[in-house]
Amino acid sequence: QVQLVERGGGLVEAGGSLRLSCAPSGRTFSAVSMGWFRQAPGKEREFVAAISRNLRSTYYADSMKGRFTISRDNANNTVYLQMNNLEREDTAIYYCAAGSFVTARLVDYTYWGQGTQVTVSS
């Protein structure tokens, strides 16, 4: 069973930055696609960004373009989400996911992490 572990969440002021990371634990694992999703209180889980294993394809939700950057270090089997100019509306639990397609659809991702809390204060 693949387990994904997210790190890097925390409390940050509006306008600040955070970098999240995600890596599998338990065994070596390299998915075709890695994605980030988030879920704010009382809302559905939503797509943030995704990246292909060959690094040629990245995909962002419109509201994150220009502020968030997804990257991937295949040598260390880690995917990152750099979040800049954070807003209160970015407060959510952020989840890492692994799947076979670079897609925004939750159902296309097979493995999920437990999530890491990001709180943006004004």
Side-chain angles (χ1 to χ4, degrees):
Q1 181 70 15
V2 174
Q3 288 184 313
L4 301 176
V5 180
E6 302 98 337
R7 292 187 173 87
L11 175 65
V12 63
E13 291 186 352
S17 299
L18 280 176
R19 188 173 82 153
L20 307 181
S21 66
C22 170
S25 67
R27 65 177 177 91
T28 300
F29 172 74
S30 181
V32 171
S33 173
M34 297 293 294
W36 287 97
F37 291 77
R38 70 184 187 184
Q39 188 165 15
K43 295 187 178 180
E44 294 185 351
R45 194 169 298 189
E46 64 174 349
F47 172 73
V48 174
I51 187 168
S52 61
R53 184 168 60 193
N54 63 12
L55 309 183
R56 293 175 184 169
S57 297
T58 55
Y59 185 22
Y60 294 91
D62 287 343
S63 61
M64 285 70 162
K65 287 181 181 177
R67 297 192 302 123
F68 291 8
T69 302
I70 189 170
S71 60
R72 185 167 181 170
D73 180 350
N74 286 334
N76 293 311
N77 215 14
T78 301
V79 63
Y80 301 94
L81 184 69
Q82 177 67 43
M83 304 185 294
N84 298 328
N85 194 21
L86 284 161
E87 304 168 352
R88 282 193 65 184
E89 292 71 26
D90 296 317
T91 295
I93 298 174
Y94 284 71
Y95 297 91
C96 172
S100 301
F101 306 98
V102 181
T103 172
R105 300 195 330 152
L106 275 72
V107 297
D108 290 330
Y109 290 85
T110 305
Y111 302 103
W112 291 83
Q114 294 298 308
T116 185
Q117 176 70 48
V118 171
T119 303
V120 183
S121 63
S122 59

